[in-house]
């Protein structure tokens, strides 16, 4: 069997993305399907991430699978010097699929090359986190009815924010127009702007963040502006309150516009936004469940048709 | 040839491979990349020799050894303009140039301390993504790095 692991979102073609979104849609219609009755899903969290782990484990449980694994690296032998390879080979003896999060970059890629079972990357350091991108895509698709020709505003930390980089690359198939709204210190890196130009993706950069800048948005994707990212703390003090979305900034925006955020938020979305019908970040997190059900099924070789025929 | 023989700075070999025009400061990198220290062959190394083209150069003559092309391509990282001469009966029977390989396995170390390759007993793997500018991309952590900045293993 070909290795069906999901390590990086770039492995998905346009067709594959759309196919995965269809599968997620099936799971949203009916999340409880005992498709994985006899399967065991391992969740190996070498670095804690409660949100991601709960989402994957709920996905596995709703599919009828049993879940094994660990979350605290202190209780496993990885701190006793056991190599990643040895841990992966050991767990492969027990589980049908391994969902792993690791603090080292490239860990999931390496695991996918040595493991006899498929690997799902649930985040490897600052590198890849494809299930986050799939839930972002699903949220956009669901709220806009399409992924094509959208105005997507990315706001906040565009330099270190891996979710915005992955989303940017995944959207290349769908003719988007990006607006990058960030302070100078956290601007979108040149390599991604170059990527946009190479792929014929339009983008504009903004330093200001106000109701006029965002008036045309279909999606506003907010990210955290963290103090520790700044080399110049004066600069942080200057911008820390600039990239905050308030309810009164939404009046000029489209009816159908939705606000996304990978969560957890700190203060970048004011609480008065929560009651707006344009706030979508809590539903977005819920969409992660359906996206992850689809990912687990796909790496195990279960097709969309099989999902549809199993109610 | 005549002139060359007259002022030969390192003794000639009867059969084998001569790697010439290695930048002097890269000579020992070439020695380590080709694992010459582990070879039983008779090897002559010339260091800091005068070169009209590159100032100070290094030269390596390995008796009785013919390399696979992909082995030689590994030294393209440090000595892309080196000349390879294949010697038989004291004569050059073939000249080869070096090509930058598309993939480098187990040759250079990733610059990213958080890369799995720096924390696990495994081989590194890089893809050459921009030949002109010498940009390598780590297959694992996906960080792009300039070939000037990477350390040879
Ligand atoms: Zn690396």
């Amino acid at each position: 069997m070909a290795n069906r692991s999901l390590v990086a979102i770039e492995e998905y073609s346009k067709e594959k993305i759309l196919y995965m979104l269809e599968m997620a849609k099936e799971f949203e219609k009916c999340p409880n399907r005992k498709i994985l009755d006899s399967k065991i899903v391992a969740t190996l969290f070498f670095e804690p991430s409660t949100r991601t782990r709960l989402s994957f484990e709920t996905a596995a449980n709703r599919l009828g699978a049993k879940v094994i694994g660990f979350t605290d690296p202190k209780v496993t032998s990885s701190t006793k010097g056991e190599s990643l390879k040895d841990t992966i080979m050991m767990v492969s003896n027990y589980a049908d699929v391994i969902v792993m999060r690791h603090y080292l970059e490239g860990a999931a890629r390496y695991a996918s090359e040595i493991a006899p079972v498929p690997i799902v990357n649930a985040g490897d350091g600052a590198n890849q986190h494809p299930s986050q991108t799939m839930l972002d895509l699903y949220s956009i698709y669901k709220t806009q009815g399409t992924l094509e020709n959208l105005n997507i505003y990315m706001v906040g930390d565009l330099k270190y924010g891996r979710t915005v980089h992955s989303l940017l690359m995944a959207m290349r198939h769908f003719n988007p127009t990006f607006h990058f709204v960030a302070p100078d210190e956290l601007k979108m890196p040149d390599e991604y702007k170059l990527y946009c130009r190479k792929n014929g993706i339009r983008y504009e950069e903004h330093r200001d963040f106000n109701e006029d800048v965002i008036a045309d948005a279909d999606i506003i994707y907010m990210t955290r502006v963290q103090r520790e990212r700044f080399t110049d703390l004066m600069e942080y003090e200057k911008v820390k309150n600039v990239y905050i979305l308030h309810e009164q900034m939404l009046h000029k925006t489209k009816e159908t516009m939705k606000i996304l955020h990978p969560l957890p938020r700190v203060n970048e979305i004011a609480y008065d936004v929560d009651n707006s019908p344009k706030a979508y970040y809590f539903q977005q997190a819920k969409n992660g469940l359906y996206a992850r059900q689809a990912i687990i099924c796909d790496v195990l070789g279960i097709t969309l048709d099989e999902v549809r025929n199993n109610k | 040839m005549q002139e060359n023989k007259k002022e030969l700075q390192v003794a000639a070999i009867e059969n084998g491979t001569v790697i010439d025009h290695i930048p002097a400061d890269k000579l020992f990198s070439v020695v380590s990349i080709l694992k010459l220290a582990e070879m039983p062959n008779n090897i002559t190394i010339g260091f800091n020799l005068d070169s009209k083209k590159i100032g100070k150069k290094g030269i390596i003559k390995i008796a009785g050894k013919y390399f696979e092309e992909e082995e030689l391509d590994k030294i393209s990282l440090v000595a892309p303009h080196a000349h390879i001469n294949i010697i038989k009966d004291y004569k050059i029977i073939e000249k080869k140039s070096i090509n930058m390989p598309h993939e480098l396995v187990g040759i250079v170390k990733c610059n990213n301390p958080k890369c799995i390759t720096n924390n696990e007993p495994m081989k590194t793997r890089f893809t050459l993504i921009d030949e002109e500018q010498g940009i390598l991309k780590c297959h694992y952590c996906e960080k792009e790095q300039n070939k000037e900045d990477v350390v040879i293993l």
Side-chain angles (χ1 to χ4, degrees), chain B residues 13-43:
Chain B
I13 54 172
E14 185 178 351
N15 294 302
T17 304
V18 173
I19 307 171
D20 200 355
H21 293 285
I22 302 166
D25 60 333
K26 297 293 195 280
L27 177 81
F28 292 102
S29 299
V30 172
V31 169
S32 93
I33 292 171
L34 294 177
K35 299 195 165 65
L36 299 185
E38 295 158 30
M39 266 180 211
N41 304 53
N42 183 327
I43 299 174

Side-chain angles (χ1 to χ4, degrees), chain B residues 13-20 34 36 41-44 59-68 72 75 83-88 94 96:
Chain B
I13 54 172
E14 185 178 351
N15 294 302
T17 304
V18 173
I19 307 171
D20 200 355
L34 294 177
L36 299 185
N41 304 53
N42 183 327
I43 299 174
T44 315
I59 186 168
I60 302 172
K61 301 189 176 192
I62 306 125
K65 171 80 187 174
Y66 302 103
F67 291 89
E68 296 289 327
L72 290 172
I75 70 171
H83 295 184
I84 310 290
N85 295 329
I86 310 300
I87 312 289
K88 273 203 176 128
E94 195 186 343
K96 285 185 183 169

Side-chain angles (χ1 to χ4, degrees), chain A residues 58-227:
Chain A
T58 306
N61 279 306
R62 289 203 184 275
L63 292 165
K66 303 278 187 299
V67 178
I68 60 167
F70 56 79
T71 45
D72 188 351
K74 288 186 202 79
V75 304
T76 74
S77 24
S78 62
T79 47
K80 290 184 210 150
E82 185 179 64
S83 67
L84 173 63
K85 181 177 183 175
D86 290 4
T87 306
I88 293 292
M89 295 314 279
M90 181 266 292
V91 175
S92 297
N93 290 331
Y94 310 136
D96 299 288
V97 51
I98 295 174
V99 176
M100 64 177 278
R101 185 177 186 105
H102 205 288
Y103 48 91
L104 292 173
E105 289 148 25
R109 172 78 60 204
Y110 178 56
S112 77
E113 291 172 353
I114 54 170
V117 301
I119 299 287
V120 175
N121 186 3
D124 60 324
N127 189 30
Q128 294 274 353
H129 191 8
S131 66
Q132 175 71 43
T133 311
M134 282 312 294
L135 80 88
D136 290 342
L137 292 171
Y138 185 59
S139 299
I140 297 171
Y141 182 66
K142 211 173 113 179
T143 59
Q144 306 299 315
T146 178
L147 291 176
E148 303 280 349
N149 312 318
L150 298 173
N151 287 327
I152 299 179
Y153 286 62
M154 296 174 164
V155 183
D157 179 358
L158 306 186
K159 185 173 178 187
Y160 300 101
R162 105 184 128 179
T163 53
V164 292
H165 301 156
S166 298
L167 181 61
L168 181 152
M169 294 199 279
M171 285 299 295
R172 74 184 179 282
H173 306 294
F174 304 102
N175 191 39
T177 302
F178 285 115
H179 292 261
F180 303 140
V181 186
D184 281 342
E185 275 218 44
L186 301 178
K187 271 168 59 176
M188 185 61 80
D190 287 341
E191 59 176 299
Y192 293 101
K193 288 188 262 178
L194 183 67
Y195 183 88
C196 285
R197 290 198 291 276
K198 272 189 189 160
N199 286 279
I201 299 171
R202 291 172 302 280
Y203 68 86
E204 281 179 36
E205 294 187 274
H206 309 267
R207 201 180 288 116
D208 296 331
F209 183 48
N210 56 47
E211 58 180 51
D212 293 314
V213 168
I214 60 174
D216 272 337
D218 293 304
I219 292 290
I220 298 180
Y221 198 105
M222 297 294 298
T223 64
R224 284 184 295 286
V225 173
Q226 290 162 289
R227 191 169 185 266

